[in-house]
Amino acid sequence: MISLENISWKAPGAGFSLRDVTLTIPDNTYAVLMGATGCGKTSLLEILCGLRQPDSGKIVLDDRDVTHLEPRGRRIGYVPQDLALFPGRRVRDQISFALQMRGQKDDHLITQLTIDLGITHLLDRLPDLLSGGEKQRVALARALAAQPRVLLLDEPLSALDETTRDEAMELLRSLQSKHALTVLHVTHSRSEAHALGQLHLRLEQGQIVHL
Amino acid sequence: MRRLHPFWLSLALITTAYLLFWLLLLGATATYSTPQACWETLMKPEIRYATGLSLLTCTVAAGFALIIAVPIGYLMARCQFRGKALLDAALDIPIVLPPMVIGICLLIFFQTPLGQVIEGVVSFTYTIAGVVLAQFVVAAAFAIRTMRGTFDHLSARPEEVALTLGATRFQSLWHVALPAAKRGMLAAFCIAWARSLGEFGPILVFAGATRMRTEVLPTTVWLELSVGNLDSAVSVSLAMIAIAVAVLVAVRATGEKV
C-alpha cells in the first residue's frame, strides 16, 4: 500500500507546488493520475521514489515510513516519460542492471521478463536502434527486473501510435496482475485512464482529488 | 546551381581568410628549414630527451587533470548549492591568470611551511615532478571545463533511474554517467594533453630550463632562440606542430567510434 500523508513541496523558482497531498493506494491497485501540464505530477512521482525530498509530510510504503530513505531502499520501480534508457548499454545490460547492482545473477528472471515483454530478439541491441514501442518495453523490463512492490509510470504511452498503445495497455494490465504490483500511472489520456485505472485521481492546484 | 546567399558568402570569406592566415604561418615555418636539417636537429640527444620528457609529462599531467576534472565537472553540472557561481569563477582562474604568474605562485607556495612539508615528501621545485605540476595546474582547468560541458549535455534522468534500480550515487556515476561521457573524457584528456604540450611560462619559472633535466619542447624552443639558433628552434616548433596535428587527427578519427 502506498500512503502519502500531507506531502508539501514547492518547486524551486517555478510557479507550482504540492500542498498537503494526502493519498492512499491499496495493494495491487492500478491507479491513474491525471492533471494539467506542469501541475506537479512528475514531481509527485519523483518524491514517491525518493528522487526529491518533500518539504514536509510522510511517505509510507507497506506500513514503513520511507520518507527519508534513499531511492534504492524503497523498492519502487520508476519509468520516466523519456524512458531514460542507459546510453551505450545493450538491452541485456539494461535489464540486468538492478541485479548487477545487488551483486546478483538471475538468468531465469531476465529470460522470463524478456519473453513476457516480447523483447527476446532485442537483447544485443543498443537503445539508439530501438523503436519507441521497443524502448518502452525495455524500460518496463528494466524496472520489473528490480522486483519492485510499486511501479510508477510517467506518461509511458504518450509516444506510441494507436495500435502500439492498445498492445501496450494490454501488456501493462497483464504485468500488473502477474507481478501483483501497485501501479501509479500518470497520463493525459482519458481513454488510457478509463481502460487501465481502478482508482482515478486528479492533481488540481497542488492537491489530489479522487474522481 | 543554387546561389550562395551573400550573408553566408561573407561568413565563408572570413573563415577562408582566417584559415589562409594560419596556413601561411605554418607554411612559412615549414619551408624555413630543410627536412635534412630538421632531422639532424631532432636527433640531437638533448632534443630527443626534451621530446621524450614532453610526451611523458604531458601524458601524466593530462591523466591527473582528467582524474580531477571528472568529479568536479560532475559536481558542477549536477549539484545546485550556494556559492556555485563563485566556485565556477574560481575554477577558471588558471585560464585567465598570466602563465608566468602561475609559475611564481607555485614557486612561492613551495617556500611556505606547508610547501616545505610537501617538498620533504616529493620534491617539486626545479624537478620533473615540478614540470608535471606546472602543466597540470593549467591543463586541469581546461579539462574541468570540458567535463562540465559534457555532463551538462547529458540528461541526468538515466542516473536518477539507476538510483531507483538499486545503485548508489557512486555506482550511478560509474555505471551510467561515465560510459555515456566517454567521448567527453577523451576530449578532456586530449585538450589537457595539448595544453600541457604548449605550456612554457610556469615550467620556466617553477621547474627551470635545465638541459637534459627539466627541458621540455617549449623550453627547447626558448633555449635555442636565446642563443640565436633559429634553425633548431624552427625544427623543434615543426615537431610540436606535427605532434599537435597528430593528436587532433587521432581525436577526430576515434571520436566517432568512442
Side-chain angles (χ1 to χ4, degrees):
Chain A
M1 186 174 75
I2 309 172
S3 182
L4 301 183
E5 296 172 18
N6 304 107
I7 291 291
S8 291
W9 180 76
K10 193 165 169 39
F16 72 92
S17 59
L18 302 172
R19 292 184 287 120
D20 288 328
V21 171
T22 298
L23 161 72
T24 300
I25 304 173
D27 277 340
N28 305 338
T29 302
Y30 203 117
V32 287
L33 174 64
M34 300 182 76
T37 303
C39 71
K41 302 185 295 294
T42 298
S43 300
L44 186 64
L45 294 191
E46 289 177 346
I47 287 171
L48 250 170
C49 64
L51 295 174
R52 290 182 193 277
Q53 272 299 307
D55 297 332
S56 62
K58 205 158 97 173
I59 303 161
V60 180
L61 286 181
D62 296 338
D63 301 322
R64 193 164 66 119
D65 184 352
V66 298
T67 317
H68 301 291
L69 218 57
E70 282 189 45
R72 67 197 178 105
R74 299 190 183 201
R75 284 190 62 196
I76 294 179
Y78 176 44
V79 179
Q81 189 176 3
D82 60 2
L83 304 173
L85 294 181
F86 304 142
R89 274 183 167 254
R90 295 188 188 279
V91 169
R92 185 191 307 279
D93 300 327
Q94 307 260 356
I95 300 172
S96 56
F97 185 84
L99 293 170
Q100 188 196 340
M101 290 303 103
R102 291 184 202 151
Q104 296 172 351
K105 198 169 174 356
D106 189 342
D107 290 339
H108 176 70
L109 174 69
I110 302 299
T111 307
Q112 196 54 52
L113 276 171
T114 53
I115 292 169
D116 288 351
L117 286 141
I119 52 172
T120 316
H121 61 296
L122 303 175
L123 283 173
D124 291 319
R125 291 229 196 129
L126 289 167
D128 292 347
L129 302 172
L130 301 174
S131 69
E134 289 168 343
K135 281 181 184 171
Q136 183 234 19
R137 284 163 181 258
V138 172
L140 272 171
R142 182 181 63 178
L144 291 173
Q147 297 172 289
R149 294 170 296 175
V150 173
L151 188 59
L152 307 178
L153 306 171
D154 193 359
E155 300 187 44
L157 313 180
S158 58
L160 304 182
D161 62 63
E162 214 164 298
T163 316
T164 321
R165 182 182 295 205
D166 288 343
E167 288 171 13
M169 282 201 284
E170 190 52 46
L171 176 69
L172 287 174
R173 208 179 285 125
S174 70
L175 286 173
Q176 188 250 336
S177 159
K178 183 174 179 181
H179 295 269
L181 291 166
T182 305
V183 177
L184 180 56
H185 176 140
V186 166
T187 181
H188 281 292
S189 159
R190 283 177 196 276
S191 62
E192 217 173 284
H194 183 71
L196 291 166
Q198 294 166 323
L199 179 66
H200 296 258
L201 308 162
R202 188 169 185 85
L203 190 59
E204 273 181 8
Q205 294 175 334
Q207 291 188 312
I208 290 284
V209 179
H210 287 259
L211 301 175
Chain B
M1 204 178 110
R2 260 183 75 197
R3 250 187 83 219
L4 200 58
H5 193 283
F7 173 74
W8 298 117
L9 194 63
S10 56
L11 298 192
L13 280 173
I14 292 169
T15 311
T16 309
Y18 176 72
L19 280 177
L20 195 63
F21 167 68
W22 268 106
L23 284 174
L24 286 172
L25 287 184
L26 295 178
T29 313
T31 51
Y32 183 84
S33 190
T34 64
Q36 179 66 23
C38 276
W39 184 251
E40 278 168 15
T41 304
L42 295 176
M43 283 301 110
K44 284 180 186 169
E46 64 271 23
I47 294 182
R48 275 166 50 197
Y49 176 87
T51 308
L53 186 63
S54 276
L55 298 179
L56 177 72
T57 55
C58 289
T59 307
V60 176
F64 280 125
L66 188 62
I67 289 169
I68 290 291
V70 168
I72 297 176
Y74 193 70
L75 175 81
M76 297 303 289
R78 293 285 184 265
C79 200
Q80 299 303 323
F81 54 89
R82 281 179 71 180
K84 187 176 171 180
L86 205 64
L87 177 61
D88 199 19
L91 290 169
D92 280 344
I93 286 176
I95 294 172
V96 295
L97 273 186
M100 289 288 187
V101 175
I102 293 175
I104 288 168
C105 290
L106 283 169
L107 203 59
I108 300 295
F109 171 74
F110 282 98
Q111 303 306 313
T112 64
L114 176 61
Q116 288 293 306
V117 171
I118 298 170
E119 281 273 355
V121 183
V122 184
S123 183
F124 282 102
T125 316
Y126 301 118
T127 65
I128 290 172
V131 174
V132 173
L133 184 60
Q135 289 173 332
F136 164 83
V137 169
V138 181
F142 286 90
I144 289 168
R145 229 182 210 204
T146 309
M147 284 317 301
R148 193 215 163 138
T150 300
F151 288 125
D152 272 336
H153 283 94
L154 288 173
S155 166
R157 190 69 83 181
E159 295 151 39
E160 291 176 346
V161 169
L163 298 178
T164 70
L165 292 170
T168 60
R169 279 272 171 203
F170 179 77
Q171 285 173 321
S172 153
L173 167 68
W174 188 260
H175 293 287
V176 180
L178 289 190
K182 269 190 299 189
R183 291 179 66 172
M185 286 165 68
L186 180 72
F189 180 85
C190 289
I191 287 166
W193 197 93
R195 197 66 191 76
S196 300
L197 182 69
E199 207 55 71
F200 171 64
I203 296 174
L204 181 69
V205 175
F206 181 56
T210 316
R211 284 239 124 129
M212 303 296 279
R213 189 168 160 78
T214 57
E215 182 188 356
V216 284
L217 288 176
T219 326
T220 307
V221 175
W222 181 73
L223 286 174
E224 296 296 335
L225 277 176
S226 64
V227 294
N229 196 348
L230 191 57
D231 279 335
S232 290
V234 168
S235 300
V236 175
S237 301
L238 284 173
M240 290 178 71
I241 291 169
I243 294 170
V245 170
V247 170
L248 193 66
V249 170
V251 172
R252 294 278 167 171
T254 56
E256 296 304 315
K257 297 174 199 157
V258 177

